[in-house]
Amino acid sequence: MARSTFVYVTYIRTTPERLWSALTEDAGFMKQYWFGVHCESTWKPGSAWRMLYPDGRVIDSGAILEAEPPRRLVIRWKNHMNPEFEAEGDSLCTMELEPIEKAVKLTITHSMEREASKLIGATGFFWPQILCNLKSLVETGSVVLAEPFAIN
Amino acid sequence: MAKSTFVYTTYIRTTPDKLWSALTGQEFQKQYWFGMHCESPYTTGSPWKLVNDRGEVWDAGEIVEADPPRRLVIRWEHQMRPELRAEGASLCTMELVPAGQAVRLTITHSVEREDSKLVEAVSGGWPKILSNLKSLLETGTVAFEDPSRSKK
């Protein structure tokens, strides 16, 4: 089946446990690097997952398909804010953490079972901003982008 | 014509001038590029090569465009591994765009053939190099030292 996939790899000077926490249950930390957004979930396989704006609007929702802390997390992920993205249905987001020296290799793979997915196109724009913010916040104590960056 | 392309975007808390110097200055390159450095006057049409710490030339080519501190295009031919060398010239474009208090750096590395082994190789290399560059510019030290520890 045709597929759209975005892959991003970054190396962050931290531990897998700290990075796992930053990607999951530490909502206060997530709000700092994700422009105010945070996730709600119990982070167990089969549990519900959603991502919310500070005002409580649900941006994305789905379920945790796999959770193997601090190594691997798979989320079924559907957008609700953009009608075109919502119409595309479920995407799959896999996060893999692998220790290397004093750093962790974080690989994000976000895919959908359709060609030229608009959602995957958009995630390809946002993931680098979020993950660069996360890396800067973990390594320096402050984010690199205070606001989402948009060309023109 | 069929094409293989790798694109990587990172946001680094620095200025375009400092980032341009970091991308073109030998002593700085050696810190984040695992001992490698580039030799070139970085003017349009001038030769360019990527050399390891033993003086072996890994890649060679020329500067196709140089517009400091905004855009650098390198014609890039691998020299060491026969199967990569056989693919001929690739094109590496580096674009720097101011983004708030940061700079957005986008690397686009492509070869005019399907399933390029060179593009596959640089897809593994660029995230390591650019993660180190971001850490070095933001914190003064790289994220990790030994690329062989992360070969996959």
Side-chain angles (χ1 to χ4, degrees):
Chain A
M1 194 191 247
R3 186 176 240 208
S4 302
T5 303
F6 175 74
V7 180
Y8 194 86
V9 175
T10 182
Y11 294 82
I12 302 178
R13 196 163 54 221
T14 187
T15 62
E17 290 77 14
R18 180 74 195 95
L19 187 56
W20 178 271
S21 166
L23 291 165
T24 58
E25 69 265 9
D26 193 343
F29 197 78
M30 184 177 288
K31 284 179 186 175
Q32 292 180 63
Y33 71 80
W34 210 309
F35 308 114
V37 166
H38 75 283
C39 295
E40 286 180 359
S41 177
T42 57
W43 307 105
K44 306 268 191 263
S47 68
W49 168 91
R50 55 186 194 161
M51 182 172 278
L52 303 108
Y53 279 126
D55 63 9
R57 282 177 299 157
V58 177
I59 308 166
D60 306 273
S61 72
I64 305 298
L65 301 186
E66 290 180 46
E68 191 195 333
R71 280 183 289 273
R72 184 177 161 85
L73 182 68
V74 183
I75 304 171
R76 194 185 73 229
W77 180 312
K78 183 176 181 178
N79 184 271
H80 302 291
M81 294 307 292
N82 178 313
E84 284 185 321
F85 298 167
E86 186 165 32
E88 289 185 347
D90 289 333
S91 67
L92 211 59
C93 179
T94 302
M95 304 184 182
E96 294 165 289
L97 293 71
E98 179 190 349
I100 289 161
E101 294 181 13
K102 293 174 187 172
V104 181
K105 177 185 184 184
L106 171 63
T107 304
I108 303 274
T109 305
H110 206 142
S111 65
M112 182 175 280
E113 296 292 340
R114 65 165 63 216
E115 254 180 291
S117 158
K118 289 194 168 74
L119 174 70
I120 300 305
T123 62
F125 185 70
F126 284 107
W127 273 123
Q129 300 192 27
I130 291 153
L131 296 173
C132 284
N133 260 0
L134 170 59
K135 178 172 162 72
S136 292
L137 184 59
V138 167
E139 294 186 357
T140 75
S142 57
V143 298
V144 61
L145 298 171
E147 305 284 335
F149 177 68
I151 289 274
N152 301 322
Chain B
M1 192 191 247
K3 197 175 201 183
S4 302
T5 302
F6 174 73
V7 180
Y8 192 87
T9 299
T10 182
Y11 294 81
I12 303 178
R13 192 158 56 223
T14 186
T15 64
D17 286 327
K18 281 185 189 160
L19 184 53
W20 183 271
S21 295
L23 289 168
T24 56
Q26 294 189 12
E27 290 312 309
F28 210 77
Q29 285 167 346
K30 286 176 188 171
Q31 294 179 65
Y32 68 82
W33 211 316
F34 308 108
M36 312 275 281
H37 72 277
C38 298
E39 293 177 10
S40 176
Y42 293 101
T43 50
T44 301
S46 65
W48 167 90
K49 57 185 181 176
L50 178 61
V51 181
N52 73 5
D53 52 8
R54 293 193 297 276
E56 296 164 322
V57 177
W58 277 65
D59 302 88
E62 66 170 29
I63 304 299
V64 178
E65 286 180 54
D67 178 16
R70 282 179 288 272
R71 185 177 161 86
L72 183 65
V73 183
I74 303 169
R75 186 174 58 73
W76 179 310
E77 283 187 50
H78 186 78
Q79 306 293 312
M80 296 292 277
R81 288 167 57 187
E83 74 274 22
L84 302 188
R85 186 174 184 166
E87 292 188 355
S90 67
L91 210 61
C92 178
T93 301
M94 303 183 181
E95 293 168 287
L96 293 71
V97 176
Q101 295 178 320
V103 182
R104 186 184 73 162
L105 170 64
T106 304
I107 304 264
T108 306
H109 205 144
S110 63
V111 171
E112 295 290 340
R113 63 163 68 210
E114 263 183 278
D115 301 323
S116 159
K117 290 191 170 69
L118 175 69
V119 169
E120 186 187 337
V122 301
S123 301
W126 279 123
K128 296 173 194 165
I129 294 158
L130 297 172
S131 291
N132 263 357
L133 171 59
K134 177 171 164 68
S135 293
L136 185 60
L137 282 169
E138 294 186 357
T139 74
T141 51
V142 297
F144 68 113
E145 302 278 352
D146 180 4
S148 65
R149 298 277 300 276
S150 64
K151 283 219 173 99
K152 286 209 69 163

